[in-house]
Amino acid sequence: MLKVPEHQVAGHIASDGKLGPLVDDQGRFFKPLQGDSRGQHEAKFYESFTSNKKVPDHIRRYFPVYHGTQLVEASDGSGKLPHLVLDDVVFVYSNPSVMDVKIGSRTWYPDVSEEYFKKCIKKDRQTTTVSLGFRVSGFKIFDHQESSFWRAEKKLVLGYNANGARLALRNFVSSNSPADSNSTPNCAFVSEVYGGSNGILAQLLELKDWFESQTLYHFNSCSILMIFENESILMKEGDDAPAARAQVKLVDFAHVLDGNGVIDHNFLGGLCSFIKFIKDIIQSVDKRDETDTSLLENGH
Ligand SMILES: O=P(O)(O)O[C@@H]1[C@@H](OP(=O)(O)O)[C@H](OP(=O)(O)O)[C@H](O)[C@H](OP(=O)(O)O)[C@H]1OP(=O)(O)O
Ligand SMILES: Nc1ncnc2c1ncn2[C@@H]1O[C@H](COP(=O)(O)OP(=O)(O)O)[C@@H](O)[C@H]1O
């Protein structure tokens, strides 16, 4: 039985009879092939990427595994439609915090229609896409105090300026309630989620390393998904607590183009900018902790 994904944070959502992705109980994510050839284009990308021997193995883990396409009952009640069948990248988590960040300082690309260009550039200017080289598209956080999920409102997220994006990235790794806009995010999970040898920053740097030389694809309008389970971090002192499992995944390949031997400077630039934001948060928390320790040592 297919159902609407509980942890989807952006994109087309299968609610109120609209067309959107579905998931099964075996860890598969079914994304309907979008009209106007975008869906076919995304399927073609997955076919190409999956069989491309030039893609290093250590990079493949950042992409959902592709299982071809399948006709399934669409979420909008329009009958059977072809869907991409992908690994559901949040399946292994019980209470995942998830953020979708669209990378690049532009979401349009050469040869798109005037109408599509205008739509994209308008959104790129209204959001932090142009100014920062990325925009937060949506996120949800598991709130420990409330023992429930807190979901950022789409309208607010798309209205973030640089400070708003920074605050969202701090809130994402905090244990105090994001619902309380007066409290400063404590960044309690920053070292486990963003930092460390397997954390988000390390994964982003590995991706950056590849993007510095890969000329196979241009990842227009793609998103980085950041996923982690903050419960497992709080439980880590316990006997059989799972690891934090912070993960980076790339999604949305409806606008990928051939790289034609040219570096994807749009994605690479945005990725570098995003990395700087994450690094700054890690460093600011390290500095805060050092100050706190030295105050304690000096008897304050
Ligand atoms: O429909 P909209 O206006 O919400 O735009 C979608 C975007 O939502 P946004 O409002 O920017 O968060 C949406 O962005 P996210 O996936 O939410 O980051 C996509 O860009 C989507 O286009 P496509 O599926 O990649 O071709 C966009 O869909 P299209 O309008 O291009 O069909
Ligand atoms: N393979 C996947 N597994 C789990 N969730 C996914 C997967 N792919 C996408 N998602 C979720 O769906 C959202 C939208 O995906 P995306 O491919 O960008 O769709 P759209 O083309 O509608 O924008 C993402 O922000 C994420 O929350």
Side-chain angles (χ1 to χ4, degrees):
M1 179 68 180
L2 298 182
K3 56 177 192 199
V4 176
E6 200 187 329
H7 305 300
Q8 183 179 347
V9 292
H12 305 95
I13 295 176
S15 60
D16 309 325
K18 281 193 268 180
L19 188 61
L22 297 165
V23 287
D24 68 10
D25 56 4
Q26 308 289 311
R28 297 281 158 101
F29 185 91
F30 297 78
K31 180 174 173 179
L33 265 67
Q34 287 171 270
D36 65 18
S37 79
R38 270 184 290 178
Q40 287 296 348
H41 194 84
E42 187 162 20
K44 264 199 190 144
F45 164 75
Y46 270 113
E47 302 281 348
S48 157
F49 183 82
T50 305
S51 59
N52 194 332
K53 300 227 163 21
K54 290 183 184 154
V55 178
D57 284 344
H58 71 279
I59 291 302
R60 288 191 188 279
R61 76 175 171 115
Y62 294 111
F63 292 74
V65 176
Y66 173 65
H67 304 280
T69 59
Q70 199 178 314
L71 276 179
V72 299
E73 285 295 332
S75 63
D76 60 356
S78 60
K80 289 203 167 176
L81 281 184
H83 287 64
L84 300 170
V85 187
L86 305 168
D87 270 1
D88 178 354
V89 298
V90 300
F91 183 68
V92 294
Y93 300 85
S94 312
N95 293 308
S97 293
V98 186
M99 184 183 282
D100 180 312
V101 183
K102 200 185 272 284
I103 303 291
S105 60
R106 54 167 171 78
T107 55
W108 56 272
Y109 45 95
D111 299 332
V112 293
S113 68
E114 191 63 19
E115 188 194 356
Y116 187 72
F117 167 75
K118 280 187 181 151
K119 181 186 155 168
C120 289
I121 192 117
K122 187 170 175 220
K123 234 189 242 182
D124 292 353
R125 285 180 176 147
Q126 280 168 346
T127 62
T128 59
T129 287
V130 169
S131 56
L132 302 182
F134 67 87
R135 71 173 178 248
V136 177
S137 283
F139 64 109
K140 65 184 293 193
I141 304 174
F142 186 67
D143 182 341
H144 281 277
Q145 283 161 22
E146 302 293 329
S147 206
S148 64
F149 286 101
W150 179 88
R151 190 180 275 272
E153 228 179 275
K154 181 168 174 169
K155 220 173 124 195
L156 290 180
V157 171
L158 292 180
Y160 285 160
N161 56 16
N163 280 337
R166 193 174 292 114
L167 191 62
L169 290 168
R170 294 178 76 93
N171 262 320
F172 190 56
V173 291
S174 293
S175 64
N176 50 337
S177 178
D180 179 3
S181 54
N182 291 323
S183 76
T184 309
N186 61 18
C187 294
F189 307 131
V190 75
S191 53
E192 287 85 351
V193 177
Y194 289 160
S197 55
N198 297 314
I200 298 281
L201 177 61
Q203 295 177 49
L204 293 173
L205 290 172
E206 188 168 37
L207 270 176
K208 174 175 160 266
D209 214 44
W210 184 59
F211 272 93
E212 276 168 353
S213 60
Q214 82 82 17
T215 58
L216 302 170
Y217 304 105
H218 282 188
F219 290 90
N220 302 301
S221 216
C222 275
S223 288
I224 280 182
L225 275 190
M226 298 193 290
I227 314 155
F228 73 95
E229 178 106 37
N230 53 18
E231 220 163 31
S232 57
I233 301 169
L234 289 176
M235 281 163 57
K236 85 179 168 197
E237 307 297 327
D239 295 338
D240 49 8
R245 294 178 300 177
Q247 278 198 72
V248 165
K249 294 281 180 192
L250 291 181
V251 295
D252 203 355
F253 308 111
H255 305 281
V256 173
L257 294 181
D258 271 353
N260 287 327
V262 176
I263 280 183
D264 186 355
H265 45 85
N266 180 51
F267 191 97
L268 178 60
L271 181 60
C272 289
S273 171
F274 184 57
I275 286 173
K276 171 84 172 107
F277 269 70
I278 298 290
K279 265 190 188 163
D280 284 352
I281 293 173
I282 297 173
Q283 277 166 5
S284 71
V285 174
D286 283 351
K287 222 168 166 187
R288 180 192 72 190
D289 292 350
E290 269 168 32
T291 314
D292 288 352
T293 312
S294 91
L295 282 174
L296 276 176
E297 282 170 0
N298 291 317
H300 291 281

